[in-house]
Amino acid sequence: MHVVATAGHVDHGKSTLVRALTGMEPDRWAEERRRGMTIDLGFAWTRLPGGAEIAFVDVPGHERFVPNMLAGVGPVPAALLVVAADEGWMPQTAEHEAALDAHGVTHAVLAVTRSDLADPAPTIQQVTDRLRGTSLAGLPAVAVSGVTGAGLDALRGRLASLVAALPAPDATAPVRLWVDRAFTIRGSGTVVTGTLSAGTLRVGDELSLNGRSVHVRGLQALGVPHQEVSAVARVAVNLRNVDKGDVHRGDALLTPGRWTSTALADVRVGGDDLDDAPNALVLHVGSAAVPVRVRPLHHPDKEPQFARLTLATPLPLDARDRALLRDPGGHRVVGRVTVLDTDPPPLTRRGAAAARATDLAAVGTEDNLLRTRRLIRATELRGLGAAPPPDAIRAGDWLLDPQHAAELRERLRKLLANHRATGTLEAGPTIEEARTALDLPDRSVLLALIAAPLTVRDGRVVDRDAAPPLPAPVAAAIELLAADLARNPFRAPEAGRLAALGLGPRELAAAERTGALLRLAENVVLLPGADDQAVGILARLEQPFTTSQARQALDTSRRVVLPLLALLDRRHRTRRLPDDRREVLS
Ligand SMILES: Nc1nc2c(ncn2[C@@H]2O[C@H](COP(=O)(O)OP(=O)(O)OP(=O)(O)O)[C@@H](O)[C@H]2O)c(=O)[nH]1
Ligand SMILES: [Mg+2]
């Protein structure tokens, strides 16, 4: 199915045309039919030559009902612009055209109606001229009469080409159905309708509505029940356990967890100079209309304009959403809005607004943004509508420019070298010390920089290839120990001896790191290689052997043999059996 919205000045023949094309009555209300004027959105559908199904959202042209018109066209990708031959371009032709332009609608057909009353050619020319430079520039035109039926077949043909050229929607995208009507059906409960512009709805789906979870009880498209409806489509969704008062035009039915409502957004604005714009503007996006406060963010080059919008009510906005700013009093579209960032940083420092405008100006060239910022939150980049460049280095929620990462790694290597040069016993700076020294915002960024030969050990950043040398007094003490152990390799020095040599836990840990000692427990140390030697001796015992037999064979105490055997078990040199005996593994 394809959805096309009408647009055009009051009484130019939009509803008459929709009626003639579909045989359905778009003016749903008795009051509309009595007054001969569309007040609210109307819906009608038909099949085009070639078989494509087309649904029209018929909008009101009267200036009082422009907000209704905007609710209808917001989510619709294509338009039928209607201009009467005998009146030509009129104020709401202009306002509707500006709305379509703001939404970036490029797929449209011009129908010059009432061509039984006046020569359509001058109006076609006038409209063509007016549309130059807008999103609708160069649109095909057809002269028609809703009364005589002249030109209708040509228009059907044009519409068939129009819908054939529409880009295929993404049926797997998360759903954001902007509600344009909500009503109650006796026996079924609350039904909402809207134009599904992306994604798929299914009966039984759980969706989110105004922050609460709701379930799809039934689905219809063009009056026919469906188990599943994919975009683009006009849909009616019957919701379980929702009162009519809980849902209104401008609300959105959302795929849970995929959208965030925000009351703050940074946007690009085309159109009037925002400094001259009235304060009380309304943001129209989807079917929603929300009062906003506009803070211009001045870019040094002035053009394009950026602004921070503060919404009176949060909306589920997304980067790249198109919207418009309207002055309700002045009856005109003040700005064409493209959402750039739905989670913008606060502007507190002096000059922050100008700096922000510079950042926003880089959106669209996101690689450059990461190059200039060097380090940016992935959420901020996403908020700016940018995908991370493929070579960006990820660190938690942070993205690093690879060039910057290389520089930071160099600084980290220097930091470790300086650390070694201080002659400290510590293997390296702590993660926090390194993070501070490199002035990084988060430890995840530091961890992302660490690659072999650098590694993290006991919360410190260390270079596996360059352990700091032992300070001279420690090295001398270790030599004395080594002499003791050379005679009795499994007689680990007693606590008293270690203390006499000035070897506390820190010194022993440092000696272990440099490979000068094999450490079995807090203060139980042997020489490196003692483990291999022990395996050699134990292998000569009758297998399996008891702990006591091992102790005797190694000529040592339980203080040493227990942690030594435990170490050999861990390294799979020995295996401990259920009866506590062990065997050497070959
Ligand atoms: N002669 C002639 N009259 C037309 C034509 N199209 C519409 N009309 C008449 O123009 C009047 C307005 O037509 P509508 O179709 O209601 O106009 P609309 O654009 O839907 O108006 P709004 O919805 O109020 O904006 C009606 O009286 C129609 O009969 C046409 O092609 N020729
Ligand atoms: Mg109408």
Side-chain angles (χ1 to χ4, degrees):
M1 184 201 312
H2 303 281
V3 183
V4 173
T6 60
H9 196 70
V10 64
D11 264 355
H12 276 199
K14 298 178 290 298
S15 302
T16 303
L17 206 49
V18 167
R19 205 177 292 123
L21 288 168
T22 66
M24 294 175 73
E25 177 54 64
D27 285 335
R28 296 171 288 128
W29 298 1
E31 187 192 349
E32 291 178 313
R33 293 197 287 274
R34 188 165 42 75
R35 292 170 66 179
M37 171 194 276
T38 306
I39 295 171
D40 203 357
L41 303 171
F43 308 96
W45 52 90
T46 188
R47 246 175 228 291
L48 292 169
E53 220 169 9
I54 185 171
F56 291 97
V57 176
D58 183 36
V59 307
H62 194 283
E63 66 168 15
R64 270 185 51 206
F65 308 127
V66 169
N68 291 344
M69 181 273 178
L70 295 173
V73 299
V76 175
L80 173 61
L81 179 62
V82 174
V83 183
D86 57 330
E87 274 201 340
W89 189 269
M90 294 291 279
Q92 268 63 53
T93 318
E95 195 172 5
H96 288 194
E97 181 280 317
L100 296 173
D101 188 48
H103 285 298
V105 173
T106 53
H107 299 270
V109 174
L110 168 65
V112 172
T113 52
R114 307 204 318 211
S115 60
D116 54 304
L117 299 179
D119 178 6
T123 295
I124 291 178
Q125 188 56 53
Q126 180 200 26
V127 174
T128 306
D129 290 346
R130 295 277 191 154
L131 293 179
R132 242 173 235 129
T134 76
S135 69
L136 298 185
L139 87 178
V142 189
V144 296
S145 166
V147 172
T148 67
L152 284 184
D153 282 340
L155 179 58
R156 286 193 185 93
R158 280 293 183 197
L159 287 168
S161 324
L162 169 80
V163 300
L166 287 174
D170 180 359
T172 63
V175 167
R176 180 179 55 177
L177 180 71
W178 292 104
V179 172
D180 51 34
R181 270 198 305 161
F183 50 90
T184 316
I185 292 184
R186 198 187 304 250
S188 298
T190 298
V191 174
V192 299
T193 69
T195 302
L196 184 67
S197 48
T200 299
L201 283 167
R202 292 178 191 82
V203 172
D205 271 357
E206 183 190 348
L207 298 168
S208 161
L209 173 71
N210 296 328
R212 61 178 272 215
S213 162
V214 298
H215 285 87
V216 177
R217 181 175 172 183
L219 269 180
Q220 285 198 1
L222 310 187
V224 180
H226 288 270
Q227 282 300 307
E228 179 178 312
V229 179
S230 289
V232 171
R234 283 294 309 168
V235 286
V237 187
N238 182 199
L239 295 173
R240 199 186 297 279
N241 298 331
V242 174
D243 289 336
K244 181 168 175 279
D246 294 341
V247 53
H248 303 96
R249 171 173 293 175
D251 291 340
L253 272 179
L254 306 170
T255 300
R258 300 294 294 271
W259 302 90
T260 317
S261 282
T262 178
L264 205 62
D266 283 356
V267 301
R268 180 183 290 124
V269 191
D272 296 5
D273 192 332
L274 288 178
D275 290 328
D276 303 333
N279 284 330
L281 293 178
V282 175
L283 179 76
H284 292 263
V285 57
S287 62
V290 172
V292 285
R293 225 176 47 239
V294 180
R295 172 176 179 185
L297 304 172
H298 287 293
H299 189 252
D301 306 336
K302 195 71 186 131
E303 205 41 62
Q305 302 184 63
F306 301 99
R308 173 153 300 183
L309 304 183
T310 307
L311 284 61
T313 316
L315 290 177
L317 296 183
D318 207 13
R320 284 188 288 267
D321 273 343
R322 303 293 294 254
L324 61 95
L325 282 172
R326 183 167 179 268
D327 169 17
H331 273 289
R332 66 198 177 94
V333 173
V334 171
R336 301 180 302 272
V337 167
T338 305
V339 177
L340 298 177
D341 191 344
T342 55
D343 186 18
L347 300 174
T348 43
R349 283 174 295 109
R350 256 176 74 85
R356 183 64 183 155
T358 305
D359 279 354
L360 293 170
V363 174
T365 52
E366 294 78 20
D367 293 22
N368 294 343
L369 186 64
L370 187 63
R371 294 283 174 273
T372 50
R373 289 278 288 277
R374 312 208 296 178
L375 183 62
I376 191 170
R377 274 189 185 279
T379 41
E380 185 181 350
L381 199 64
R382 255 199 312 281
L384 290 166
D391 63 346
I393 294 169
R394 286 158 192 282
D397 187 40
W398 292 91
L399 294 171
L400 262 160
D401 171 45
Q403 176 70 39
H404 185 47
E407 289 161 16
L408 287 170
R409 282 201 181 102
E410 192 46 45
R411 284 176 55 196
L412 188 59
R413 268 191 289 276
K414 286 208 176 97
L415 183 74
L416 263 66
N418 289 342
H419 180 92
R420 281 195 294 277
T422 60
T424 165
L425 278 174
E426 310 301 352
T430 63
I431 291 172
E432 184 53 26
E433 283 163 358
R435 185 194 70 74
T436 315
L438 268 58
D439 196 21
L440 298 174
D442 194 272
R443 58 182 269 138
S444 65
V445 179
L446 180 83
L447 294 175
L449 297 173
I450 294 174
L454 303 192
T455 183
V456 173
R457 202 182 291 144
D458 298 334
R460 291 177 184 276
V461 186
V462 299
D463 185 339
R464 282 205 305 251
D465 294 350
L470 289 174
V474 180
I478 300 285
E479 257 174 51
L480 291 175
L481 273 196
D484 296 351
L485 285 165
R487 288 191 291 277
N488 298 297
F490 303 104
R491 293 262 177 95
E494 297 295 330
R497 171 84 173 138
L498 292 174
L501 289 170
L503 296 174
R506 273 162 42 104
E507 287 76 13
L508 292 178
E512 180 189 21
R513 275 196 301 274
T514 61
L517 288 177
L518 174 69
R519 201 155 170 231
L520 300 178
E522 171 86 0
N523 59 355
V524 182
V525 290
L526 299 177
L527 286 183
D531 46 348
D532 289 330
Q533 219 179 329
V535 172
I537 294 168
L538 297 174
R540 288 197 291 274
L541 292 177
E542 196 177 320
Q543 306 290 313
F545 53 85
T546 64
T547 304
S548 168
Q549 284 164 342
R551 183 182 57 73
Q552 287 166 25
L554 298 174
D555 184 24
T556 185
S557 61
R558 284 177 66 81
R559 183 175 82 96
V560 174
V561 80
L562 290 178
L564 178 58
L565 288 173
L567 176 80
L568 297 179
D569 290 344
R570 278 200 306 280
R571 293 189 176 168
H572 304 290
R573 310 289 302 274
T574 53
R575 177 167 51 214
R576 186 174 179 176
L577 304 174
D579 64 2
D580 221 20
R581 290 187 301 167
R582 283 182 171 78
E583 60 191 8
V584 170
L585 297 174
S586 48

